[in-house]
Amino acid sequence: LARVVAGSSRPRFAAVAEEPNGLARVRHLLVKTLVLCVLGGIGVSAAVALASPLLFGVLDPSGQFDAAIPLLRVLVWAFPSVLATALLSAVLIALRCQRALVWTYAVGAIVCLVSLLALVPMFGSAGAAWGQVASETLLVIVLVYVFVVATKAPQSRGGKAH
């Protein structure tokens, strides 16, 4: 689903960015689309978290994997962030900000690795799940910051936008 969001949005954002007053329109369109993605992701996450015992009952009637239900209930909350990350990445690519994405993902990978190294020894698989959710959420925050910086109107010496 994240690939569909990214793949379908990138051409639209690239076209809008080229229009007069394009960056302002990109910001407006991104906010609307991001809100929809995050709210939809929260809805899906809540549904999966609530229905996970039923899902496991259908997919694994033997109950062999029931111990994974609590982990799924944590990991599913990374889904809204994954959708937001896909959208923000697509927009930043459409705005030709690939270099910033490389650095952002490198920092995200380091944060994820450090969180896993810190949490897994203490909390096991639950620590890994929480570390993943936290890392994905932090990545969204950093990508929003990168987007804001990338779309900030350039300032002239007189303080007016070009």
Side-chain angles (χ1 to χ4, degrees):
L1 187 58
R3 290 180 197 259
V4 171
V5 168
S8 62
S9 61
R10 188 177 310 127
R12 177 69 180 136
F13 278 101
V16 169
E18 297 298 322
E19 296 173 1
N21 200 24
L23 289 182
R25 292 198 57 227
V26 165
R27 282 191 294 274
H28 177 73
L29 185 59
L30 176 64
V31 168
K32 287 173 44 176
T33 310
L34 196 56
V35 167
L36 287 173
C37 280
V38 170
L39 290 178
I42 289 170
V44 169
S45 295
V48 170
L50 291 172
S52 56
L54 177 63
L55 293 171
F56 272 73
V58 170
L59 297 174
D60 176 37
S62 71
Q64 182 179 352
F65 296 104
D66 284 353
I69 292 172
L71 298 175
L72 176 62
R73 286 183 163 166
V74 172
L75 277 173
V76 74
W77 292 104
F79 184 62
S81 295
V82 168
L83 290 176
T85 297
L87 177 63
L88 287 160
S89 297
V91 171
L92 288 167
I93 290 169
L95 295 175
R96 298 182 181 106
C97 297
Q98 291 90 330
R99 183 171 291 156
L101 278 176
V102 170
W103 289 107
T104 301
Y105 278 105
V107 169
I110 291 168
V111 168
C112 184
L113 181 63
V114 168
S115 71
L116 293 175
L117 288 173
L119 296 173
V120 169
M122 290 188 290
F123 303 106
S125 56
W130 283 109
Q132 185 65 37
V133 172
S135 297
E136 292 289 345
T137 304
L138 180 63
L139 183 59
V140 171
I141 293 167
V142 174
L143 285 170
V144 167
Y145 173 78
V146 169
F147 174 79
V148 168
V149 169
T151 60
K152 186 176 179 182
Q155 299 291 316
S156 67
R157 292 178 194 236
K160 296 180 182 178
H162 294 281

